[in-house]
Amino acid sequence: MEEMIFNLADTHLFFNDLEECDQVHIDDVSSDDNGQDLSTYSFATDGFHAAASSANLCLPTGVRGGVDWMRKLAFRYRRVKELYNTYKNNIGGLLGPAKRDAWLQLRAEIEALTDSWLTNALKSLSIISTRSNCVNVLVTTTQLIPALAKVLLYSLGGAFPIENIYSATKIGKESCFERIMQRFGRKVVYVVIGDGVEEEQAAKKHNMPFWRISSHSDLLALHQALELEYL
């Protein structure tokens, strides 16, 4: 699955270009986008990658490219967003027939080996996303582009709008939580669901209830709590 994730990220989501230019959120560079029509745009020949690798433009030191280069960066993130929204419920259509069959086979094997872990998790995510007053937000330590590939390949695209996916690689989960609170406000109820110490501590700091998932029974209990509207 890891090989498939990086293959998708490299082949369709510009990970070769964007690995060193990681963003926390898909819209973080959208202000550099001039809205140009990209239907006939050639990403392969726009000179972005050569400029990026020769100048180390995206190093953590904050060195950025010029206006022209930033626009090309923004174009890539816009295309990624379009692809995500187009294929979020049909990733097989993006993979093509041969890779689609391999993906379905792999997915079936993973489900068998994990006693339907993903199916159980999806039940809860689906309940949340169908509620008119609730949303699913994902905070991950994976870089944004591989995270999007992972979400698509695990068929979670329908549960997580791309605008609700945050990568904590550069800034940590607590800073992501801050951003999310700024976006949705302080009057809403946040429930953090996770299995790691970092998100538990970040939840505690912001007084958010934390639902720990470490076994199948935790997933089933979460689903029951949502079904009975305790949560």
Side-chain angles (χ1 to χ4, degrees), residues 57-199:
L57 289 164
C58 294
L59 289 178
T61 48
V63 181
R64 305 290 283 237
V67 173
D68 181 54
W69 185 85
M70 286 301 293
R71 190 181 303 123
K72 291 171 184 173
L73 179 68
F75 286 169
R76 279 159 174 74
Y77 277 100
R78 168 151 51 111
R79 175 53 63 83
V80 167
K81 190 175 185 177
E82 286 169 0
L83 285 169
Y84 184 96
N85 288 330
T86 302
Y87 293 103
K88 64 183 178 184
N89 295 311
N90 173 33
I91 188 59
L94 185 61
L95 294 174
K99 280 207 170 77
R100 178 179 180 274
D101 289 346
W103 165 69
L104 287 170
Q105 174 71 30
L106 180 61
R107 280 281 307 276
E109 286 171 21
I110 290 173
E111 279 294 88
L113 287 167
T114 59
D115 195 15
S116 303
W117 181 272
L118 184 61
T119 301
N120 286 319
L122 259 170
K123 283 179 186 171
S124 294
L125 291 168
S126 301
I127 291 176
I128 296 165
S129 58
T130 54
R131 288 179 178 173
S132 60
N133 61 342
C134 294
V135 292
N136 291 312
V137 180
L138 180 71
V139 178
T140 173
T141 47
T142 305
Q143 281 187 278
L144 186 61
I145 297 297
L148 296 175
K150 197 183 286 190
V151 168
L152 290 169
L153 288 166
Y154 281 107
S155 298
L156 295 167
F160 292 100
I162 195 168
E163 294 84 2
N164 291 1
I165 297 174
Y166 293 80
S167 167
T169 309
K170 290 200 300 192
I171 65 172
K173 287 189 175 172
E174 196 193 307
S175 298
C176 285
F177 284 16
E178 290 276 359
R179 276 191 61 165
I180 292 160
M181 289 174 80
Q182 283 169 7
R183 178 177 157 200
F184 291 103
R186 307 222 168 236
K187 290 194 169 74
V188 299
V189 177
Y190 297 91
V191 178
V192 180
I193 301 166
D195 67 347
V197 176
E198 192 189 352
E199 57 260 32

Side-chain angles (χ1 to χ4, degrees), residues 22-37:
D22 194 39
Q23 304 297 319
V24 176
H25 186 272
I26 194 71
D27 291 332
D28 279 358
V29 289
S30 60
S31 58
D32 293 298
D33 192 332
N34 64 358
Q36 178 180 329
D37 177 15

